[in-house]
Short mmCIF file of all heavy atoms in Angstrom, two decimals:
data_model
loop_
_atom_site.label_atom_id
_atom_site.label_comp_id
_atom_site.label_asym_id
_atom_site.label_seq_id
_atom_site.Cartn_x
_atom_site.Cartn_y
_atom_site.Cartn_z
N GLU V 167 -8.68 56.75 13.08
CA GLU V 167 -9.96 56.97 13.79
C GLU V 167 -10.05 56.05 15.01
O GLU V 167 -10.43 56.49 16.09
CB GLU V 167 -11.14 56.68 12.87
CG GLU V 167 -11.48 57.77 11.90
CD GLU V 167 -12.65 57.40 11.00
OE1 GLU V 167 -13.58 56.69 11.47
OE2 GLU V 167 -12.63 57.80 9.83
N TYR V 168 -9.74 54.78 14.81
CA TYR V 168 -9.81 53.81 15.90
C TYR V 168 -8.86 54.19 17.04
O TYR V 168 -9.26 54.20 18.22
CB TYR V 168 -9.48 52.40 15.39
CG TYR V 168 -9.33 51.39 16.50
CD1 TYR V 168 -10.44 50.86 17.14
CD2 TYR V 168 -8.07 50.99 16.94
CE1 TYR V 168 -10.31 49.96 18.18
CE2 TYR V 168 -7.92 50.08 17.97
CZ TYR V 168 -9.05 49.57 18.58
OH TYR V 168 -8.91 48.69 19.62
N ILE V 169 -7.63 54.51 16.69
CA ILE V 169 -6.63 54.85 17.72
C ILE V 169 -7.05 56.12 18.45
O ILE V 169 -6.94 56.21 19.68
CB ILE V 169 -5.23 55.00 17.09
CG1 ILE V 169 -4.74 53.64 16.59
CG2 ILE V 169 -4.24 55.57 18.09
CD1 ILE V 169 -3.49 53.70 15.72
N SER V 170 -7.57 57.10 17.72
CA SER V 170 -8.03 58.35 18.35
C SER V 170 -9.17 58.08 19.32
O SER V 170 -9.22 58.65 20.41
CB SER V 170 -8.47 59.36 17.29
OG SER V 170 -7.37 59.72 16.48
N ALA V 171 -10.10 57.21 18.91
CA ALA V 171 -11.21 56.84 19.80
C ALA V 171 -10.70 56.14 21.05
O ALA V 171 -11.19 56.40 22.16
CB ALA V 171 -12.21 55.96 19.05
N GLU V 172 -9.72 55.26 20.88
CA GLU V 172 -9.15 54.56 22.03
C GLU V 172 -8.45 55.55 22.98
O GLU V 172 -8.54 55.43 24.20
CB GLU V 172 -8.16 53.48 21.58
CG GLU V 172 -8.81 52.23 21.08
CD GLU V 172 -9.66 51.54 22.13
OE1 GLU V 172 -9.13 51.15 23.19
OE2 GLU V 172 -10.87 51.38 21.89
N LEU V 173 -7.76 56.53 22.42
CA LEU V 173 -7.09 57.54 23.25
C LEU V 173 -8.12 58.34 24.04
O LEU V 173 -7.91 58.64 25.22
CB LEU V 173 -6.22 58.45 22.39
CG LEU V 173 -4.90 57.85 21.93
CD1 LEU V 173 -4.22 58.75 20.91
CD2 LEU V 173 -3.97 57.60 23.11
N LYS V 174 -9.24 58.69 23.41
CA LYS V 174 -10.30 59.41 24.12
C LYS V 174 -10.86 58.56 25.25
O LYS V 174 -11.11 59.06 26.35
CB LYS V 174 -11.42 59.82 23.16
CG LYS V 174 -11.06 60.99 22.27
CD LYS V 174 -12.21 61.35 21.35
CE LYS V 174 -11.79 62.44 20.38
NZ LYS V 174 -12.81 62.72 19.38
N ARG V 175 -11.06 57.28 24.97
CA ARG V 175 -11.58 56.37 25.99
C ARG V 175 -10.60 56.26 27.16
O ARG V 175 -10.99 56.31 28.32
CB ARG V 175 -11.83 54.99 25.38
CG ARG V 175 -12.49 54.00 26.33
CD ARG V 175 -12.56 52.61 25.72
NE ARG V 175 -11.25 52.04 25.46
CZ ARG V 175 -10.47 51.47 26.39
NH1 ARG V 175 -10.85 51.44 27.65
NH2 ARG V 175 -9.30 50.96 26.06
N LEU V 176 -9.32 56.15 26.82
CA LEU V 176 -8.29 56.05 27.86
C LEU V 176 -8.23 57.33 28.69
O LEU V 176 -8.03 57.29 29.91
CB LEU V 176 -6.93 55.75 27.25
CG LEU V 176 -6.73 54.33 26.75
CD1 LEU V 176 -5.46 54.22 25.92
CD2 LEU V 176 -6.70 53.34 27.90
N ASP V 177 -8.39 58.49 28.03
CA ASP V 177 -8.40 59.76 28.76
C ASP V 177 -9.55 59.83 29.74
O ASP V 177 -9.40 60.28 30.88
CB ASP V 177 -8.46 60.94 27.78
CG ASP V 177 -7.13 61.18 27.07
OD1 ASP V 177 -6.10 60.67 27.56
OD2 ASP V 177 -7.14 61.87 26.04
N ALA V 178 -10.73 59.37 29.29
CA ALA V 178 -11.91 59.37 30.17
C ALA V 178 -11.69 58.43 31.35
O ALA V 178 -12.00 58.76 32.51
CB ALA V 178 -13.16 58.96 29.39
N THR V 179 -11.11 57.27 31.08
CA THR V 179 -10.82 56.31 32.14
C THR V 179 -9.80 56.89 33.12
O THR V 179 -9.96 56.75 34.34
CB THR V 179 -10.27 54.99 31.55
OG1 THR V 179 -11.23 54.47 30.64
CG2 THR V 179 -10.00 53.97 32.62
N LEU V 180 -8.79 57.55 32.59
CA LEU V 180 -7.76 58.16 33.43
C LEU V 180 -8.36 59.24 34.33
O LEU V 180 -8.04 59.32 35.52
CB LEU V 180 -6.64 58.74 32.58
CG LEU V 180 -5.47 59.36 33.34
CD1 LEU V 180 -4.79 58.33 34.23
CD2 LEU V 180 -4.47 59.97 32.38
N GLN V 181 -9.23 60.04 33.78
CA GLN V 181 -9.88 61.09 34.57
C GLN V 181 -10.69 60.47 35.70
O GLN V 181 -10.64 60.93 36.84
CB GLN V 181 -10.78 61.95 33.67
CG GLN V 181 -11.35 63.16 34.38
CD GLN V 181 -12.14 64.05 33.43
OE1 GLN V 181 -12.33 63.73 32.26
NE2 GLN V 181 -12.60 65.16 33.95
N ASP V 182 -11.42 59.40 35.39
CA ASP V 182 -12.21 58.70 36.40
C ASP V 182 -11.30 58.12 37.49
O ASP V 182 -11.58 58.24 38.69
CB ASP V 182 -13.03 57.59 35.74
CG ASP V 182 -13.91 56.84 36.71
OD1 ASP V 182 -14.65 57.51 37.47
OD2 ASP V 182 -13.86 55.59 36.73
N LEU V 183 -10.19 57.51 37.08
CA LEU V 183 -9.25 56.93 38.04
C LEU V 183 -8.63 58.02 38.92
O LEU V 183 -8.43 57.81 40.12
CB LEU V 183 -8.15 56.15 37.32
CG LEU V 183 -8.56 54.82 36.69
CD1 LEU V 183 -7.44 54.26 35.83
CD2 LEU V 183 -8.95 53.81 37.76
N ASP V 184 -8.32 59.17 38.32
CA ASP V 184 -7.75 60.28 39.10
C ASP V 184 -8.74 60.77 40.16
O ASP V 184 -8.36 61.04 41.30
CB ASP V 184 -7.37 61.44 38.18
CG ASP V 184 -6.03 61.23 37.50
OD1 ASP V 184 -5.23 60.41 38.01
OD2 ASP V 184 -5.77 61.89 36.47
N GLU V 185 -10.02 60.86 39.77
CA GLU V 185 -11.04 61.29 40.73
C GLU V 185 -11.16 60.28 41.87
O GLU V 185 -11.25 60.66 43.04
CB GLU V 185 -12.38 61.48 40.02
CG GLU V 185 -12.41 62.69 39.11
CD GLU V 185 -13.64 62.74 38.21
OE1 GLU V 185 -14.55 61.90 38.37
OE2 GLU V 185 -13.69 63.63 37.35
N LYS V 186 -11.17 59.00 41.52
CA LYS V 186 -11.24 57.95 42.55
C LYS V 186 -10.02 58.01 43.46
O LYS V 186 -10.14 57.86 44.68
CB LYS V 186 -11.33 56.57 41.90
CG LYS V 186 -12.68 56.27 41.30
CD LYS V 186 -12.68 54.88 40.68
CE LYS V 186 -14.01 54.56 40.04
NZ LYS V 186 -14.02 53.24 39.39
N GLN V 187 -8.84 58.24 42.87
CA GLN V 187 -7.61 58.33 43.66
C GLN V 187 -7.68 59.50 44.64
O GLN V 187 -7.32 59.35 45.81
CB GLN V 187 -6.40 58.49 42.74
CG GLN V 187 -5.09 58.64 43.46
CD GLN V 187 -3.91 58.80 42.52
OE1 GLN V 187 -3.93 58.33 41.41
NE2 GLN V 187 -2.88 59.48 42.97
N ASN V 188 -8.15 60.63 44.17
CA ASN V 188 -8.25 61.80 45.05
C ASN V 188 -9.23 61.56 46.19
O ASN V 188 -8.96 61.94 47.34
CB ASN V 188 -8.65 63.04 44.24
CG ASN V 188 -7.54 63.51 43.34
OD1 ASN V 188 -6.37 63.23 43.57
ND2 ASN V 188 -7.90 64.23 42.28
N SER V 189 -10.37 60.92 45.89
CA SER V 189 -11.33 60.66 46.97
C SER V 189 -10.78 59.64 47.96
O SER V 189 -11.02 59.75 49.17
CB SER V 189 -12.68 60.20 46.40
OG SER V 189 -12.58 58.93 45.82
N LYS V 190 -10.00 58.66 47.48
CA LYS V 190 -9.37 57.68 48.39
C LYS V 190 -8.36 58.38 49.29
O LYS V 190 -8.28 58.10 50.49
CB LYS V 190 -8.66 56.58 47.60
CG LYS V 190 -9.52 55.46 47.16
CD LYS V 190 -10.00 54.63 48.31
CE LYS V 190 -10.92 53.56 47.78
NZ LYS V 190 -11.92 53.12 48.72
N LYS V 191 -7.58 59.29 48.71
CA LYS V 191 -6.59 60.02 49.51
C LYS V 191 -7.29 60.83 50.60
O LYS V 191 -6.82 60.88 51.74
CB LYS V 191 -5.75 60.94 48.62
CG LYS V 191 -4.71 60.20 47.80
CD LYS V 191 -3.90 61.17 46.95
CE LYS V 191 -2.84 60.44 46.15
NZ LYS V 191 -2.05 61.35 45.29
N GLU V 192 -8.40 61.47 50.25
CA GLU V 192 -9.15 62.24 51.25
C GLU V 192 -9.68 61.32 52.34
O GLU V 192 -9.62 61.67 53.53
CB GLU V 192 -10.32 62.98 50.58
CG GLU V 192 -9.89 64.17 49.74
CD GLU V 192 -11.06 64.81 49.01
OE1 GLU V 192 -12.22 64.71 49.49
OE2 GLU V 192 -10.82 65.42 47.96
N ALA V 193 -10.22 60.17 51.95
CA ALA V 193 -10.75 59.22 52.93
C ALA V 193 -9.64 58.72 53.85
O ALA V 193 -9.84 58.62 55.07
CB ALA V 193 -11.42 58.05 52.21
N ILE V 194 -8.48 58.45 53.29
CA ILE V 194 -7.34 58.00 54.10
C ILE V 194 -6.93 59.10 55.08
O ILE V 194 -6.68 58.83 56.26
CB ILE V 194 -6.15 57.59 53.19
CG1 ILE V 194 -6.46 56.26 52.50
CG2 ILE V 194 -4.85 57.50 53.97
CD1 ILE V 194 -5.45 55.85 51.45
N PHE V 195 -6.89 60.33 54.61
CA PHE V 195 -6.53 61.45 55.46
C PHE V 195 -7.50 61.58 56.63
O PHE V 195 -7.08 61.78 57.78
CB PHE V 195 -6.49 62.75 54.64
CG PHE V 195 -6.08 63.95 55.43
CD1 PHE V 195 -4.78 64.09 55.89
CD2 PHE V 195 -7.00 64.95 55.72
CE1 PHE V 195 -4.39 65.20 56.63
CE2 PHE V 195 -6.63 66.07 56.46
CZ PHE V 195 -5.32 66.19 56.92
N LYS V 196 -8.79 61.44 56.37
CA LYS V 196 -9.80 61.53 57.43
C LYS V 196 -9.63 60.42 58.46
O LYS V 196 -9.74 60.66 59.66
CB LYS V 196 -11.21 61.51 56.84
CG LYS V 196 -11.57 62.79 56.12
CD LYS V 196 -12.94 62.71 55.48
CE LYS V 196 -13.23 64.00 54.70
NZ LYS V 196 -14.51 63.92 53.99
N VAL V 197 -9.38 59.21 57.97
CA VAL V 197 -9.18 58.08 58.90
C VAL V 197 -7.92 58.31 59.73
O VAL V 197 -7.91 58.06 60.94
CB VAL V 197 -9.10 56.74 58.13
CG1 VAL V 197 -8.68 55.60 59.05
CG2 VAL V 197 -10.44 56.42 57.48
N GLN V 198 -6.86 58.81 59.10
CA GLN V 198 -5.63 59.10 59.84
C GLN V 198 -5.88 60.15 60.92
O GLN V 198 -5.36 60.04 62.04
CB GLN V 198 -4.53 59.59 58.88
CG GLN V 198 -3.92 58.50 58.05
CD GLN V 198 -2.95 59.02 56.99
OE1 GLN V 198 -3.09 60.14 56.51
NE2 GLN V 198 -1.98 58.20 56.63
N GLN V 199 -6.68 61.15 60.60
CA GLN V 199 -7.00 62.19 61.59
C GLN V 199 -7.78 61.59 62.76
O GLN V 199 -7.52 61.92 63.92
CB GLN V 199 -7.82 63.32 60.95
CG GLN V 199 -7.00 64.26 60.11
CD GLN V 199 -7.85 65.36 59.52
OE1 GLN V 199 -9.00 65.15 59.13
NE2 GLN V 199 -7.27 66.55 59.43
N ARG V 200 -8.73 60.69 62.46
CA ARG V 200 -9.52 60.07 63.53
C ARG V 200 -8.63 59.18 64.41
O ARG V 200 -8.77 59.18 65.63
CB ARG V 200 -10.67 59.26 62.93
CG ARG V 200 -11.76 60.20 62.39
CD ARG V 200 -12.82 59.50 61.58
NE ARG V 200 -13.43 58.35 62.24
CZ ARG V 200 -14.06 57.38 61.58
NH1 ARG V 200 -14.13 57.43 60.27
NH2 ARG V 200 -14.60 56.38 62.23
N ILE V 201 -7.70 58.47 63.77
CA ILE V 201 -6.77 57.63 64.54
C ILE V 201 -5.91 58.51 65.44
O ILE V 201 -5.71 58.22 66.62
CB ILE V 201 -5.88 56.77 63.60
CG1 ILE V 201 -6.71 55.68 62.95
CG2 ILE V 201 -4.70 56.19 64.36
CD1 ILE V 201 -5.97 54.88 61.88
N GLN V 202 -5.42 59.60 64.88
CA GLN V 202 -4.57 60.51 65.64
C GLN V 202 -5.32 61.11 66.83
O GLN V 202 -4.80 61.21 67.94
CB GLN V 202 -4.06 61.63 64.72
CG GLN V 202 -2.80 62.28 65.19
CD GLN V 202 -2.23 63.19 64.10
OE1 GLN V 202 -2.96 63.66 63.23
NE2 GLN V 202 -0.93 63.43 64.15
N SER V 203 -6.59 61.50 66.59
CA SER V 203 -7.36 62.09 67.68
C SER V 203 -7.67 61.05 68.75
O SER V 203 -7.70 61.38 69.95
CB SER V 203 -8.64 62.74 67.15
OG SER V 203 -9.53 61.76 66.65
N LEU V 204 -7.87 59.79 68.36
CA LEU V 204 -8.10 58.73 69.36
C LEU V 204 -6.83 58.48 70.17
O LEU V 204 -6.88 58.24 71.37
CB LEU V 204 -8.54 57.44 68.68
CG LEU V 204 -10.01 57.29 68.37
CD1 LEU V 204 -10.26 55.98 67.63
CD2 LEU V 204 -10.86 57.35 69.62
N GLN V 205 -5.68 58.51 69.48
CA GLN V 205 -4.43 58.23 70.16
C GLN V 205 -4.06 59.36 71.14
O GLN V 205 -3.45 59.09 72.17
CB GLN V 205 -3.29 58.04 69.15
CG GLN V 205 -3.39 56.70 68.43
CD GLN V 205 -2.35 56.56 67.33
OE1 GLN V 205 -1.84 57.52 66.81
NE2 GLN V 205 -2.07 55.31 66.97
N THR V 206 -4.42 60.57 70.83
CA THR V 206 -4.10 61.68 71.73
C THR V 206 -5.16 61.80 72.82
O THR V 206 -5.00 62.58 73.75
CB THR V 206 -4.00 63.01 70.97
OG1 THR V 206 -5.21 63.26 70.27
CG2 THR V 206 -2.82 62.99 70.02
N GLY V 207 -6.27 61.05 72.66
CA GLY V 207 -7.29 61.07 73.69
C GLY V 207 -8.27 62.21 73.56
O GLY V 207 -9.15 62.38 74.40
N LYS V 208 -8.16 63.02 72.53
CA LYS V 208 -9.04 64.16 72.36
C LYS V 208 -10.33 63.78 71.67
O LYS V 208 -11.35 64.43 71.83
CB LYS V 208 -8.35 65.26 71.53
CG LYS V 208 -7.14 65.85 72.22
CD LYS V 208 -6.46 66.86 71.34
CE LYS V 208 -5.18 67.36 71.98
NZ LYS V 208 -4.41 68.22 71.08
#
């Protein structure tokens, strides 16, 4: 029971971390696009 509960907790944590990772990747992509547009002068 204890191990199963820990696995569920770890799964929830992993899902949260995955969501945070995806939002960070999107934010990085947006910043890269802004840098690129500044560098091209557009």
Side-chain angles (χ1 to χ4, degrees):
E167 281 179 35
Y168 171 77
I169 293 169
S170 296
E172 282 299 300
L173 284 171
K174 284 180 185 174
R175 185 187 63 79
L176 287 169
D177 286 342
T179 302
L180 182 61
Q181 187 175 4
D182 182 50
L183 288 171
D184 279 340
E185 289 170 6
K186 286 180 181 178
Q187 178 180 332
N188 290 337
S189 69
K190 276 291 177 208
K191 284 180 179 179
E192 287 176 26
I194 287 172
F195 182 69
K196 288 177 183 176
V197 171
Q198 285 173 331
Q199 283 181 323
R200 287 170 52 201
I201 289 173
Q202 203 169 24
S203 67
L204 275 177
Q205 287 174 336
T206 57
K208 295 177 185 173

